[in-house]
């Protein structure tokens, strides 16, 4: 099993879609937890991101990695009915205005949907007002903003300001992800920051538990 998992990380890093799908299929047949397989995929996409940062991969490679992940998610979910737990508030996700990077967002939302979270994914290059509209529509308690370029920081801050102006900030927890750190969190006015997809899921769960939205 460990051999398949290690091979899966490498295949994903190489963007070898056929090998990735074959390994995932084998892993499922062997009874490996689908969440474990998704985590290996995440590690592989982290390597893709590193290669992109070094200039060895290009934007098209990031897009391809995102598409491979979507195919993997569809494969692991084909025998599982994944539905949003409607008793939980929907979590809003989106790549902020002026940014179109979405691989981290797609991986995170895929993992969370697999685990039963209700997700509203607004996509990429999302204006601040769209987040406000989504929070109002879904009565959401958690908003996750992502971005991989420095211009995204201002868009994140603008979104937090819009939530404040709409009177939604006191009851809304804002998490930022992507190329972020504690300094960026302070600048944007967000509540939390995270760069690990799995940790975002854990953080959202903890927030909802603390807010008595889930048990």
């Amino acid at each position: 099993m460990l051999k398949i998992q290690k091979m899966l990380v490498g295949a994903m890093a190489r963007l070898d879609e056929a090998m990735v799908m074959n390994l995932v299929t084998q892993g499922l047949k062997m009874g490996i937890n689908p969440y474990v397989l998704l985590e290996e995929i995440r590690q592989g996409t982290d390597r893709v991101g590193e290669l992109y940062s070094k200039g060895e991969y290009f934007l098209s490679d990031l897009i391809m990695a995102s598409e491979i992940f979507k195919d993997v998610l569809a494969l692991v979910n084909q025998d599982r009915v994944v539905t949003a737990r409607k008793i939980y508030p929907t979590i809003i996700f989106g790549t902020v205005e002026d940014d179109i990077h979405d691989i981290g967002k797609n991986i995170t939302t895929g993992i969370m949907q697999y685990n039963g979270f209700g997700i509203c994914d607004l996509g990429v290059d999302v204006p601040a007002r769209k987040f406000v509209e989504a929070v109002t529509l879904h009565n959401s308690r958690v908003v996750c903003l992502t971005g991989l370029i420095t211009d995204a920081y201002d868009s994140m801050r603008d979104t937090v300001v819009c939530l404040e102006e709409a009177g939604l900030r006191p009851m809304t927890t804002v998490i930022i992800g992507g190329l972020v750190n504690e300094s960026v969190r302070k600048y944007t006015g967000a509540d939390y920051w995270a760069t690990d997809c799995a940790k975002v899921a854990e953080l959202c769960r903890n927030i909802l538990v603390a807010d008595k939205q889930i048990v």
Side-chain angles (χ1 to χ4, degrees):
M1 289 187 180
L2 288 177
K3 182 178 179 181
I4 283 183
Q5 291 170 226
K6 290 180 180 179
M7 290 176 64
L8 188 54
V9 174
M12 187 66 194
R14 296 191 304 273
L15 299 175
D16 186 342
E17 182 173 10
M19 179 62 73
V20 167
M21 299 303 289
N22 183 49
L23 289 170
V24 171
T25 299
Q26 289 184 46
L28 292 172
K29 289 180 179 179
M30 293 173 65
I32 298 177
N33 189 321
Y35 185 86
V36 172
L37 296 173
L38 289 174
E39 176 59 20
E40 301 304 324
I41 293 292
R42 184 195 66 77
Q43 291 183 31
T45 56
D46 283 349
R47 293 190 186 180
V48 172
E50 291 170 4
L51 291 170
Y52 174 76
S53 298
K54 294 177 181 178
E56 297 180 37
Y57 274 1
F58 304 96
L59 180 58
S60 59
D61 296 310
L62 290 179
I63 295 173
M64 182 175 181
S66 179
E67 291 303 314
I68 293 175
F69 177 81
K70 291 178 182 178
D71 290 342
V72 170
L73 187 63
L75 178 61
V76 300
N77 281 339
Q78 67 181 4
D79 295 322
R80 171 189 171 103
V81 177
V82 179
T83 58
R85 300 174 183 174
K86 295 182 180 179
I87 60 172
Y88 302 161
T90 298
I91 296 175
I92 308 299
F93 272 84
T95 302
V96 295
E97 192 167 26
D98 297 324
D99 197 335
I100 61 171
H101 297 93
D102 66 352
I103 184 168
K105 173 179 66 64
N106 291 342
I107 292 173
T108 304
T109 55
I111 290 173
M112 292 181 70
Q113 285 176 319
Y114 178 83
N115 284 278
F117 283 90
I119 300 294
C120 173
D121 186 351
L122 299 176
V124 301
D125 194 20
V126 183
R129 61 180 176 78
K130 290 293 185 182
F131 286 101
V132 172
E133 291 171 0
V135 169
T136 302
L137 177 64
H138 296 282
N139 189 29
S140 301
R141 304 299 181 88
V142 182
V143 178
C144 297
L145 312 175
T146 67
L148 275 179
I149 60 176
T150 54
D151 287 348
Y153 303 156
D154 286 331
S155 297
M156 290 176 177
R157 184 173 64 172
D158 290 345
T159 301
V160 173
V161 169
C162 280
L163 289 169
E164 291 174 347
E165 292 176 344
L168 298 171
R169 189 68 180 92
M171 67 283 294
T172 305
T173 299
V174 178
I175 303 171
I176 59 172
L179 190 62
V180 297
N181 53 36
E182 178 61 15
S183 296
V184 177
R185 185 201 68 77
K186 291 180 178 178
Y187 176 75
T188 61
D191 298 294
Y192 300 97
W193 66 277
T195 57
D196 186 304
C197 299
K199 287 184 178 179
V200 173
E202 181 181 356
L203 179 57
C204 288
R205 181 181 296 279
N206 291 339
I207 290 169
L208 294 179
V209 168
D211 199 31
K212 298 186 179 355
Q213 299 300 307
I214 63 175
V215 179

